[in-house]
Amino acid sequence: MRHEECIAILDFGSQYTQLIARKVRECGVYAELYPYTLSEERLVFLQPKGIILSGGPSSVYAADAPMPVFDIVSFAETYGVPILGLCYGLQLIAHTQGGSVHQASKREFGYAALEIVASSPLWKGVQSGSQVWMSHGDALTALPSGFEVIAKTDNAPYCAIQDLKRRIFGVQFHPEVHHTIDGKTMLANFLFEVCGCTGTWNEGTFVEAALQEVRAQVGNAGVLCALSGGVDSTVAAVFLHKAIGKQLHCIHIDNGLMRSNESQTVAELFGTTFNIPIQLVDASELFLRRLEGVEDPEHKRKVIGTTFIEVFESEAKKFRDVEFLAQGTLYPDVIESVSQKGPSATIKTHHNVGGLPETMKLRLVEPFRELFKDEVRAVGRMLGVPAWFIDRHPFPGPGLAIRIPGAVTRAKLKILRQADDIYLEEIRRAGLYHEIWQAFAVLLPVRTVGVMGDERTYEYVCALRAVTSVDGMTADWFPMPHDILARISNRIVSEVRGINRVVYDISSKPPATIEWE
């Protein structure tokens, strides 16, 4: 989709790169990630209002350092496009323009106080001493010609630089992470004070443009919508029904990996609230049979993704007009699943992206492929999806299969459903549900000795996970009150046969992911 205003973010491998796009969009400007190998011709076609160079783990002076395939600074001069380099991006600008970058005498990882030493459009509304977040082992040691220092820290004398004439800026820290207190302000200053953006991006403008795009894509053909029961696919179905009406055929497959009563909830929601016809397909036997003995999480995702497509293609034959398969794929799914967006490591394969087979009979319709989770929720509210549903915690496409490390069995699924029900029930009762981004139970492939009713037990361990987040790209573990944890643990051990020990996961993302697999 072409956008009136766009910021092109070149990815040099930072795990924070996704956050740059999210922060820019929060400012009302559309941003998208591209690999650092993006061609000059493609960048000219995109007509970006500005370019942001991401951070990355490499050293610019290394022989195999990631480098653009053309001179970014010359491009900026030729087309009048401003550039902002972040961390590695700053070092890349300096290195290619005659400055010097060397291994830092003291690496910086964590908080630092920014001392502003010169005026800059980046500093509008930013006070000297503002907290920034550092994560680098190299440092700029000599300025390139035409640049001046505009800020420093105790360990970085060239923490921020600029060339006002050419509108090129660089900062050593990461303004995209929430640990940089005024980071969003700095990015907004680059967008509006430097690039001249007006901030026309929002969910409303997206919906109108996306409706037209979907209608043009599918024409008079039928679209089969894969309903998982989650927020993403549900909002996608409501959106597509608005776009193409009776051409949409919604199917919900019970894969045997759902939470308790999930399929019934989906059927009632579409039948009574949305008045959208839905067909329920029970394929649980097929999915569980194919998952027998499968332990590797990537293999699980591939099996589930492939089986989904097979079942949907089979169901599609019942509709003579169907040529497309619709999915609720989100931008983070795409980023985490594929590597062509840049050198950032593939974290995991999402069943509706990397898990798809190489050949499919149905063409894909993914209206939310450019959106983050909270943007989809905003679209859902605009389309009238009930708040109780919109505000549900995310549920993964592979379902409970990736919350059972190791082989999946019916017995384990039954145990996990019961534990998960108790967990969610108790955090709702405590009024904590909406303070948490996502909460769920995990059944570990570990058995421990316990004592219940004066008898020895040897049963499974249940791990509880709860995190706070904005978009799922980073997350902090939720500080669950101890009395609530005690009540949840007591209920699970007492009521769920097969569990005799409960633990609480206090890992943040990164380094961990939110889901266990």
Side-chain angles (χ1 to χ4, degrees):
M1 182 186 299
R2 289 295 298 270
H3 298 274
E4 183 178 340
E5 293 181 334
C6 176
I7 296 296
I9 302 168
L10 299 193
D11 177 15
F12 290 92
S14 171
Q15 292 302 323
Y16 298 140
T17 303
Q18 303 93 328
L19 295 179
I20 306 172
R22 189 65 199 91
K23 290 293 184 181
V24 171
R25 292 192 194 184
E26 286 179 5
C27 295
V29 180
Y30 183 78
E32 188 161 358
L33 308 184
Y34 297 95
Y36 69 87
T37 53
L38 184 72
S39 69
E40 184 172 2
E41 293 74 19
R42 176 62 176 164
L43 195 55
V44 170
F45 172 79
L46 292 171
Q47 297 182 329
K49 297 284 286 185
I51 300 169
I52 297 179
L53 310 179
S54 83
S58 303
S59 296
V60 293
Y61 50 78
D64 59 349
M67 291 286 169
V69 296
F70 61 96
D71 190 326
I72 291 289
V73 172
S74 294
F75 177 92
E77 290 184 278
T78 301
Y79 294 97
V81 180
I83 294 178
L84 172 62
L86 312 180
C87 196
Y88 180 90
L90 159 73
Q91 296 168 11
L92 177 70
I93 292 171
H95 180 72
T96 58
Q97 300 305 304
S100 297
V101 178
H102 295 90
Q103 188 176 58
S105 58
K106 183 177 181 181
R107 297 182 302 171
E108 280 191 296
F109 298 98
Y111 300 108
L114 187 71
E115 181 183 344
I116 295 174
V117 299
S119 62
S120 170
L122 295 183
W123 306 148
K124 182 179 179 181
V126 179
Q127 297 295 319
S128 189
S130 182
Q131 174 184 292
V132 297
W133 181 260
M134 295 287 198
S135 181
H136 65 100
D138 293 330
L140 178 60
T141 55
L143 285 178
S145 176
F147 285 82
E148 64 173 326
V149 179
I150 56 175
K152 63 180 182 178
T153 67
D154 288 343
N155 295 313
Y158 302 118
C159 183
I161 64 174
Q162 70 180 10
D163 181 335
L164 277 178
K165 183 178 179 181
R166 293 184 291 177
R167 296 190 296 171
I168 302 173
F169 303 81
V171 297
Q172 185 60 73
F173 53 88
H174 290 272
E176 68 272 26
V177 302
H178 72 272
H179 305 291
T180 298
I181 301 302
D182 293 315
K184 187 175 178 179
T185 298
M186 298 172 193
L187 289 172
N189 287 338
F190 176 70
L191 300 174
F192 302 116
E193 302 296 323
V194 178
C195 300
C197 295
T198 57
T200 57
W201 162 260
N202 58 57
E203 289 79 11
T205 58
F206 166 82
V207 166
E208 290 306 313
L211 285 171
Q212 296 178 25
E213 188 172 89
V214 166
R215 289 166 183 153
Q217 179 185 2
V218 306
N220 295 322
V223 177
L224 198 64
C225 185
L227 283 174
S228 68
V231 172
D232 308 331
S233 63
T234 298
V235 176
V238 175
F239 170 85
L240 288 167
H241 190 259
K242 179 179 177 66
I244 59 176
K246 293 182 179 180
Q247 292 172 239
L248 178 69
H249 307 290
C250 292
I251 294 180
H252 171 73
I253 293 179
D254 182 355
N255 57 10
L257 307 171
M258 311 296 291
R259 290 173 293 195
S260 296
N261 302 316
E262 190 73 15
S263 295
Q264 295 90 323
T265 299
V266 172
E268 292 173 5
L269 181 67
F270 275 77
T272 60
T273 303
F274 302 140
N275 196 28
I276 299 176
I278 181 174
Q279 179 179 341
L280 299 181
V281 178
D282 185 356
S284 56
E285 289 290 344
L286 176 62
F287 278 87
L288 294 180
R289 185 171 67 251
R290 290 189 175 181
L291 285 170
E292 284 182 8
V294 177
E295 297 187 359
D296 179 75
E298 281 297 283
H299 191 188
K300 284 182 187 177
R301 290 174 180 272
K302 295 287 186 180
V303 168
I304 294 168
T306 300
T307 307
F308 257 118
I309 296 303
E310 289 182 12
V311 174
F312 273 112
E313 287 187 336
S314 175
E315 293 298 322
K317 294 177 182 177
K318 301 175 182 178
F319 304 95
R320 297 182 61 183
D321 64 336
V322 167
E323 297 179 13
F324 294 89
L325 170 64
Q327 296 190 132
T329 306
L330 303 189
Y331 200 36
D333 297 338
V334 177
I335 294 169
E336 289 191 345
S337 296
V338 293
S339 60
Q340 66 260 29
K341 283 286 183 181
S344 299
T346 297
I347 299 170
K348 57 187 175 182
T349 298
H350 290 262
H351 81 283
N352 56 346
V353 184
L356 296 177
E358 293 183 5
T359 59
M360 292 196 320
K361 297 178 182 178
L362 299 175
R363 288 173 286 171
L364 287 177
V365 176
E366 298 173 311
F368 300 153
R369 193 178 177 88
E370 293 182 346
L371 300 186
F372 288 92
K373 172 72 76 172
D374 53 322
E375 292 173 325
V376 171
R377 283 183 166 143
V379 170
R381 293 186 183 96
M382 291 175 55
L383 296 175
V385 179
W388 68 263
F389 189 88
I390 284 291
D391 294 330
R392 294 173 82 197
H393 292 177
F395 186 68
L400 299 180
I402 59 171
R403 294 177 180 175
I404 301 177
V408 178
T409 66
R410 285 190 178 276
K412 290 180 181 178
L413 286 166
K414 180 180 179 181
I415 292 171
L416 181 56
R417 284 193 186 98
Q418 292 175 328
D420 196 62
D421 278 352
I422 292 171
Y423 185 25
L424 296 181
E425 179 184 323
E426 287 298 331
I427 62 174
R428 283 193 177 97
R429 181 178 296 172
L432 299 175
Y433 187 84
H434 295 298
E435 294 183 28
I436 298 169
W437 163 268
Q438 190 173 9
F440 56 90
V442 180
L443 187 66
L444 302 185
V446 176
R447 293 191 179 190
T448 64
V449 173
V451 178
M452 301 175 71
D454 294 327
E455 293 184 354
R456 177 186 183 274
T457 62
Y458 189 58
E459 297 179 338
Y460 289 109
V461 177
C462 174
L464 303 179
R465 179 78 157 139
V467 298
T468 57
S469 182
V470 174
D471 49 31
M473 304 309 295
T474 61
D476 293 319
W477 61 275
F478 181 75
M480 191 76 69
H482 291 181
D483 60 327
I484 306 300
L485 277 177
R487 184 159 63 246
I488 295 168
S489 175
N490 183 65
R491 281 197 60 193
I492 290 176
V493 172
S494 299
E495 299 176 28
V496 182
R497 290 185 178 275
I499 294 175
N500 67 359
R501 192 179 301 268
V502 176
V503 297
Y504 190 63
D505 182 351
I506 58 170
S507 307
S508 294
K509 177 185 178 181
T513 55
I514 296 177
E515 296 286 349
W516 276 50
E517 290 192 341

